Amino acid sequence: MNDPSINKNVFNKAYKPFEIEKKWQKTWKTKNIYKTSECENIKNKFYALSMFPYPSGNLHMGHVRNYVITDLISRYQTLRGKDVLHPMGWDAFGLPAENAAIERGINPKTWTSKNIDHMKSQLEVLGLSVDWEKEFATCDEEYYKWTQFIFLELFKEGLVYQKESEVNWDPIDKTVLANEQVDSEGKSWRSGATVEKKLLKQWYLKITNYADELLRDLDKLNDWPERVKIMQENWIGKSVGTKIKFNLKNIKGSNLTVFTTRADTLFGVTYIAISFNHDILKNINNHNLLNKINSLKNNVKTDNYDNQSKVGIDTGLIAINPINNDEIPIWVANYVLDGYGTGAVMGVPAHDQRDFEFASTNSIKIKRVIFNNKHADKNKLSKAFEENGYLSNSSEFNGLYSDEAKENITKVGAKKGWAEFKTEFKLRDWLISRQRYWGCPIPMVICKKCGAVPIESKDLPVRLPTKINIKSNQINSLKENNDWINVKCPVCLSPSKRETDTMDTFMCSSWYFLRYPSANNKNEPFEKDKVNKWLPVDQYVGGVEHAILHLLYARFLTKALRDRGLFDIDEPFNKLLTQGMVQAAAYKNIKTGKYISPSIIENLETPLDPDDKSQLEISFEKMSKSKHNGIDPQIVINKYGADTARMFILFKAPPEKDLEWGDSDVEGQYRFLSRIWKLYYEYLTKNNESSKKEYNEKSIKRAMNIAIKEITNDIDKNQYNTAISELMKFYNSISQELFHLNSTLQKEVLVNFILLLAPFAPHISEELWHHLGFKGSIHKQNWPEIDKEALIKDTYELVIQVNGKVRDKITISTEATEEEIKSLSIESKNIKKWIENKEIKKFIVVKGRIINIVI
Ligand code: ANZ
Ligand code: ZN
């Protein structure tokens, strides 16, 4: 293949990004210049990873921002001499493909592949330095085979189990609904039926086994955003408290345990609240009451407790407070979570606001036991007193402060057998069952004799049947597929059925980063030594919407597989960058609340609704279809080229911050690139060497080295916007002076400038590199080195006179302006005493020599 460098005389005067970009994308591809190198030295590796996209069909601006940031980092690290791994893939299972299948009768696989092809071509236009040989989609058999393998590894480790759990059940469609598919009135979005709660057997992963380590290791993640770590910490929700056992009155041997963080309030308990599914309800024979409880249960949504009113029913059961033998009514209440603690709460209305509200609506006693002072007061509470304080009305514990009381009460209870110290976690086990077709099949067989039996590894993958009839009222189409579902039990060979649940797609995305280093391996999910070599990911880039689940699941799986001995790393992602959103102006009619598309608004400066002529409110909001403010990356690239789009996105805001789309800023970047082009054009088409003054050279060298230093620092700190500002400064200082420099320095400046530009605008810099006469890609060169000496400013000794008499001498920069010379002089210690309280009449400045202050 010919070297594509063009010689000087065909250098086009006008900057034509499309031709250049197309040409280089093609060349890079044919020469496969982004192929991952073997990396002999582990210390030299750099793994740059973007969160892989869901192939929804079209690239949006959020994707573009994500991949441009990662690409910049990869290119920069390559220039710094690192062996870079920069892969890309597709998070390809999931609901939209199934919905497309229902709506349009297309097979989910066909729909997905088509989207991947299209989105890949859009990615290529961005000029990403991705090693496409490592590409895979999670719906590829060669990939999901290993997702199943990993499921079985977890199964062997005892981290997989089945449990009945409550789901949203649509009694008309006879199907399970996700929470988002139940409307605010508790009705199905499909059938309109009132959704019921139903217990279904589902598959879980024991992430809770790792709760402590997942929490503890957050401390190791020094290069994660603090807020992401806080979100994870809250999600894991470690809570130190006490379990307290209450006996039931009149029912021998029956008891109920609560979990509390406030054992100090035990004397203030006036009721106990239990969840709708609490075991103790089995002691009730009153059918009327049970029906009432059930109908209440079906009428409350069990997520988002905090926002709904607290309702409940008195069960008639009575508990005995172990500390003072008080009789306490037991209620079922909608605010008690089934899966947290023991599913039962000791109600202390005086000291817990939820309990206070519940007691107030249900006429339950309120008994205060914690006070600000050691002496109790009789003030009536208007809301719960939730702080710590001194105990009263608590017999021998009176006068103790909360902390001490918690400990003492628990110790007393422990001795008597009704209390124990207990640490609880909010984190729940991970429910991975989905009653869906388009997901990774769970590799289990359900046998009447043997129960749930794993498929043997050698029989993987359990393939999704391709002949499938996906109907809107039968979400789990796998159940209908007799050819597929009927199998022999791997253990006893009796006729059995396959598990028809598929896995949550988060399962597929929580190990993909392990596979990239050995993406094409047909015999293993990943090679141990390659994982040990390339991981953890050095820089992970993605949306903050994945701050909790994806990142936690990925961390969990990494730890669990490490414990299976599959590799030795503890954490998957070393540095994390969560990029901000891309926003654009949205136009809203305040009266109707409707968003109006800018394409039908006549004047965007003073926008009016074309329908009712009312003035529209302008605000910057996340780009979305519903707000009609999305900007299609393809259109921008078609208009200005990918380099401009990249420069704009990197320049407009720091990567973690939201970015406001502005057409004029995009044009600004286009003009900047055009000016760069013009400068190189002039250099290469004219003969401009001149003999020039030495101090110019010094200041140019200094400007160049400042640029190298600052841009390097900025990129290292992920401050790409200021890095581009430094590039602009560098450009400004050379654009005037370039043609006064000697030819060696001219060339050095021009080479360094495009090397610094290369990670940001890879196409134009590659093109100019070749015009300068180089062979080989600019993206395989070395990042410029700083010449520290050039950074030192030239100085001279300034003589300072006051009224003509020499009073001081100071060393200042040759570049100091007249104003700077004046202010440095009057600030000098020796001068101050001469001019104190005197009016300065004038300064006489002889630059480079002397200043005379006349007073
Ligand atoms: C009595 C009490 C008195 C409480 C008081 C708080 C304040 P964290 O810190 O989030 O762990 N609780 C326990 N299990 C619950 C469940 N399944 N559903 C809803 N609430 C539950 O909170 C622990 C506190 O949350 C526990 O302490 C319990 O209420 C409640 F002045 O017990 B507390
Ligand atoms: Zn069997």
Side-chain angles (χ1 to χ4, degrees):
M1 153 124 214
N2 288 329
D3 192 283
S5 73
I6 309 173
N7 78 42
K8 279 186 189 188
N9 33 24
V10 291
F11 199 157
N12 217 321
K13 185 166 182 186
Y15 171 45
K16 294 193 174 159
F18 319 102
E19 287 169 24
I20 299 169
E21 291 179 2
K22 255 214 194 101
K23 178 182 74 188
W24 286 112
Q25 283 158 15
K26 206 168 138 207
T27 310
W28 294 334
K29 197 169 173 178
T30 1
K31 291 198 173 174
N32 200 3
I33 72 162
Y34 302 122
K35 188 177 166 63
T36 313
S37 66
E38 265 315 309
C39 182
E40 306 291 338
N41 173 5
I42 292 195
K43 289 208 179 99
N44 206 43
K45 68 96 180 175
F46 193 95
Y47 188 173
L49 185 64
S50 303
M51 290 182 183
F52 64 167
Y54 177 77
S56 57
N58 274 300
L59 216 58
H60 58 64
M61 244 357 133
H63 291 132
V64 172
R65 192 175 191 192
N66 193 164
Y67 310 137
V68 163
I69 291 171
T70 316
D71 189 58
L72 168 114
I73 295 168
S74 305
R75 289 180 182 279
Y76 168 71
Q77 293 295 344
T78 306
L79 291 170
R80 294 300 302 265
K82 294 278 184 181
D83 293 303
V84 171
L85 169 60
H86 179 205
M88 182 69 90
W90 308 94
D91 187 12
F93 275 132
L95 210 52
E98 213 163 312
N99 289 339
I102 294 165
E103 280 158 29
R104 284 169 253 177
I106 321 169
N107 185 296
K109 183 168 184 172
T110 320
W111 185 84
T112 305
S113 312
K114 218 180 89 209
N115 286 351
I116 289 177
D117 287 347
H118 180 61
M119 286 174 76
K120 186 171 170 186
S121 70
Q122 289 184 304
L123 284 180
E124 279 170 337
V125 173
L126 279 174
L128 301 183
S129 57
V130 162
D131 178 358
W132 285 106
E133 286 182 7
K134 297 193 171 291
E135 175 190 10
F136 55 72
T138 55
C139 64
D140 296 342
E141 273 176 32
E142 274 306 318
Y143 182 85
Y144 75 67
K145 168 179 180 175
W146 301 117
T147 307
Q148 293 171 343
F149 173 90
I150 284 169
F151 176 92
L152 295 177
E153 285 293 304
L154 300 177
F155 185 84
K156 288 177 203 156
E157 191 70 15
L159 291 171
V160 177
Y161 66 96
Q162 259 187 314
K163 192 182 79 177
E164 296 240 297
S165 100
E166 206 166 64
V167 293
N168 302 307
W169 180 253
D170 179 333
I172 292 184
D173 279 355
K174 301 213 180 325
T175 184
V176 173
L177 299 174
N179 280 339
E180 307 83 75
Q181 296 170 328
V182 183
D183 69 16
S184 57
E185 281 149 28
K187 296 204 160 47
S188 164
W189 68 305
R190 274 173 203 279
S191 68
T194 301
V195 172
E196 296 169 2
K197 300 274 183 261
K198 184 171 167 158
L199 285 173
L200 263 196
K201 241 189 182 180
Q202 314 234 28
W203 291 96
Y204 285 85
L205 300 184
K206 273 194 202 164
I207 189 172
T208 52
N209 278 19
Y210 286 85
D212 240 335
E213 193 186 340
L214 287 167
L215 183 67
R216 208 172 348 109
D217 281 359
L218 286 174
D219 283 346
K220 292 185 188 164
L221 304 175
N222 295 322
D223 292 311
W224 278 37
E226 207 49 45
R227 66 173 180 145
V228 173
K229 289 199 277 185
I230 290 169
M231 284 194 263
Q232 294 230 336
E233 186 179 331
N234 291 339
W235 189 261
I236 296 167
K238 185 172 180 170
S239 178
V240 179
T242 304
K243 267 169 121 176
I244 298 179
K245 191 165 83 184
F246 289 71
N247 286 326
L248 295 199
K249 189 186 170 191
N250 298 335
I251 309 176
K252 260 231 169 109
S254 250
N255 57 52
L256 150 165
T257 304
V258 302
F259 171 70
T260 179
T261 46
R262 294 294 305 269
D264 55 323
T265 64
L266 185 53
F267 285 88
V269 177
T270 56
Y271 68 98
I272 281 176
I274 58 173
S275 78
F276 287 113
N277 297 314
H278 200 281
D279 271 350
I280 211 86
L281 291 171
K282 292 193 179 124
N283 291 305
I284 299 178
N285 303 318
N286 179 340
H287 278 280
N288 239 342
L289 181 62
L290 286 175
N291 284 343
K292 258 168 67 187
I293 291 173
N294 265 330
S295 85
L296 184 63
K297 165 181 167 179
N298 286 329
N299 278 320
V300 296
K301 290 189 76 179
T302 40
D303 47 353
N304 212 0
Y305 300 82
D306 288 341
N307 296 332
Q308 54 185 334
S309 61
K310 286 139 195 82
V311 291
I313 294 175
D314 190 344
T315 65
L317 299 170
I318 302 285
I320 307 291
N321 189 337
I323 200 127
N324 58 6
N325 292 322
D326 272 5
E327 295 192 358
I328 296 163
I330 301 177
W331 288 65
V332 282
N334 66 334
Y335 69 90
V336 183
L337 300 169
D338 217 5
Y340 185 59
T342 59
V345 179
M346 61 182 218
V348 187
H351 301 294
D352 182 302
Q353 186 57 26
R354 290 181 309 182
D355 297 350
F356 187 88
E357 288 166 27
F358 189 79
S360 305
T361 39
N362 294 299
S363 314
I364 295 171
K365 259 194 310 184
I366 298 177
K367 181 181 169 196
R368 182 163 183 183
V369 293
I370 307 287
F371 294 85
N372 266 330
N373 300 304
K374 289 203 178 183
H375 302 289
D377 57 61
K378 291 249 146 59
N379 302 341
K380 198 168 169 340
L381 288 167
S382 59
K383 62 180 182 32
F385 177 81
E386 294 194 317
E387 285 114 84
N388 285 337
Y390 295 96
L391 272 69
S392 260
N393 307 326
S394 301
S395 91
E396 76 259 36
F397 302 97
N398 282 347
L400 290 182
Y401 196 72
S402 290
D403 295 335
E404 212 182 334
K406 283 180 197 175
E407 193 161 329
N408 289 5
I409 289 175
T410 306
K411 279 185 176 157
V412 167
K415 232 184 238 158
K416 299 192 174 160
W418 51 259
E420 65 178 295
F421 289 105
K422 178 81 175 112
T423 299
E424 285 285 337
F425 290 90
K426 286 268 150 53
L427 184 65
R428 301 276 63 105
D429 277 339
W430 176 11
L431 194 171
I432 61 156
S433 281
R434 294 291 179 275
Q435 290 73 32
R436 291 282 170 187
Y437 165 75
W438 191 236
C440 175
I442 292 178
M444 301 291 285
V445 167
I446 313 296
C447 168
K448 283 216 175 70
K449 290 185 214 153
C450 317
V453 180
I455 302 272
E456 286 175 51
S457 297
K458 67 172 176 41
D459 295 326
L460 296 181
V462 176
R463 291 190 177 80
L464 281 172
T466 47
K467 282 213 185 86
I468 189 82
N469 186 12
I470 300 178
K471 288 174 287 177
S472 65
N473 66 349
Q474 187 61 59
I475 291 187
N476 195 346
S477 320
L478 286 174
K479 271 212 161 69
E480 305 278 280
N481 197 307
N482 288 329
D483 294 345
W484 184 82
I485 199 169
N486 291 312
V487 286
K488 280 196 185 122
C489 166
V491 176
C492 72
L493 303 179
S494 62
S496 303
K497 297 211 185 294
R498 284 191 192 283
E499 171 59 63
T500 56
D501 285 353
T502 52
M503 295 182 210
D504 177 6
T505 56
F506 272 126
M507 179 76 187
C508 311
S509 59
S510 49
W511 74 277
Y512 76 109
F513 45 89
L514 298 169
R515 182 153 174 88
Y516 282 130
S518 33
N520 298 305
N521 192 311
K522 296 234 183 316
N523 308 311
E524 298 171 274
F526 40 75
E527 289 158 38
K528 183 174 184 170
D529 56 341
K530 287 209 172 151
V531 174
N532 285 341
K533 176 153 114 187
W534 283 103
L535 278 107
V537 170
D538 295 275
Q539 178 71 68
Y540 198 28
V541 184
V544 75
E545 67 275 17
H546 293 302
I548 299 178
L549 295 184
H550 163 61
L551 291 171
L552 199 65
Y553 293 150
R555 294 180 62 220
F556 157 57
L557 227 71
T558 302
K559 291 174 188 302
L561 296 175
R562 170 205 63 195
D563 289 346
R564 285 295 291 169
L566 297 185
F567 48 76
D568 305 316
I569 56 154
D570 297 320
E571 284 287 338
F573 313 118
N574 205 2
K575 257 189 180 183
L576 173 69
L577 192 163
T578 48
Q579 96 253 6
M581 283 180 303
V582 186
Q583 303 177 318
Y587 302 85
K588 185 168 154 188
N589 183 328
I590 310 171
K591 277 189 247 158
T592 60
K594 255 177 49 186
Y595 284 91
I596 310 297
S597 164
S599 64
I600 57 166
I601 298 172
E602 222 168 89
N603 182 349
L604 291 177
E605 305 284 314
T606 52
L608 301 178
D609 188 326
D611 280 344
D612 64 2
K613 303 290 174 237
S614 63
Q615 192 143 8
L616 299 173
E617 181 190 71
I618 312 176
S619 59
F620 275 87
E621 299 192 38
K622 182 185 175 183
M623 288 186 182
S624 77
K625 279 203 188 95
S626 62
K627 294 185 176 145
H628 304 290
N629 67 340
I631 290 163
D632 184 352
Q634 193 126 24
I635 291 174
V636 178
I637 293 170
N638 289 347
K639 193 162 169 199
Y640 300 102
D643 281 344
T644 295
R646 295 171 58 115
M647 292 283 282
F648 165 78
I649 277 177
L650 295 165
F651 179 65
K652 188 65 200 286
E656 275 101 354
K657 292 273 155 57
D658 291 344
L659 177 157
E660 292 183 355
W661 190 267
D663 288 333
S664 61
D665 298 311
V666 181
E667 270 158 36
Q669 291 303 317
Y670 182 75
R671 279 197 303 274
F672 179 42
L673 294 179
S674 304
R675 283 204 301 274
I676 293 170
W677 182 266
K678 190 166 151 250
L679 184 70
Y680 283 73
Y681 177 82
E682 278 170 10
Y683 168 78
L684 287 162
T685 50
K686 293 178 194 157
N687 198 354
N688 321 269
E689 190 178 345
S690 73
S691 52
K692 333 355 148 115
K693 290 176 233 136
E694 220 207 306
Y695 81 78
N696 267 345
E697 296 206 346
K698 277 215 166 123
S699 74
I700 289 287
K701 273 193 179 159
R702 194 159 167 269
M704 176 170 77
N705 280 283
I706 288 176
I708 299 172
K709 180 170 163 240
E710 296 300 325
I711 293 169
T712 308
N713 279 342
D714 285 345
I715 298 182
D716 284 336
K717 286 192 249 154
N718 293 346
Q719 292 166 356
Y720 317 124
N721 53 330
T722 53
I724 294 182
S725 304
E726 291 295 332
L727 263 177
M728 291 170 160
K729 274 193 220 160
F730 183 23
Y731 172 85
N732 288 340
S733 57
I734 59 176
S735 62
Q736 300 301 317
E737 304 282 353
L738 185 70
F739 300 114
H740 303 297
L741 306 175
N742 70 50
S743 60
T744 323
L745 186 55
Q746 276 181 345
K747 183 125 184 199
E748 191 185 339
V749 164
L750 290 169
V751 164
N752 282 340
F753 184 84
I754 46 173
L755 279 169
L756 296 173
L757 178 68
F760 299 86
H763 307 88
I764 186 173
S765 42
E766 182 82 302
E767 178 77 8
L768 295 174
W769 175 255
H770 286 263
H771 281 304
L772 288 179
F774 294 106
K775 298 244 154 50
S777 174
I778 189 172
H779 303 294
K780 297 283 157 185
Q781 307 305 317
N782 294 319
W783 191 246
E785 292 206 20
I786 303 171
D787 172 1
K788 288 220 178 84
E789 250 162 56
L791 286 174
I792 301 167
K793 285 184 185 175
D794 263 357
T795 56
Y796 66 93
E797 194 168 67
L798 176 79
V799 175
I800 309 175
Q801 297 180 336
V802 178
N803 284 349
K805 293 214 172 80
V806 176
R807 298 296 185 194
D808 200 6
K809 290 173 183 170
I810 58 171
T811 307
I812 68 166
S813 158
T814 48
E815 284 163 43
T817 62
E818 202 164 310
E819 284 313 309
E820 283 165 346
I821 291 173
K822 285 180 197 168
S823 65
L824 285 169
S825 303
I826 55 177
E827 278 159 22
S828 134
K829 244 215 234 128
N830 293 335
I831 297 303
K832 263 193 183 148
K833 62 178 182 232
W834 294 102
I835 59 171
E836 227 164 22
N837 302 325
K838 306 253 165 51
E839 189 199 341
I840 296 173
K841 297 212 179 86
K842 67 174 175 179
F843 294 96
I844 304 160
V845 179
V846 184
K847 247 183 149 180
R849 274 183 52 207
I850 193 164
I851 178 168
N852 186 9
I853 306 171
V854 182
I855 52 175

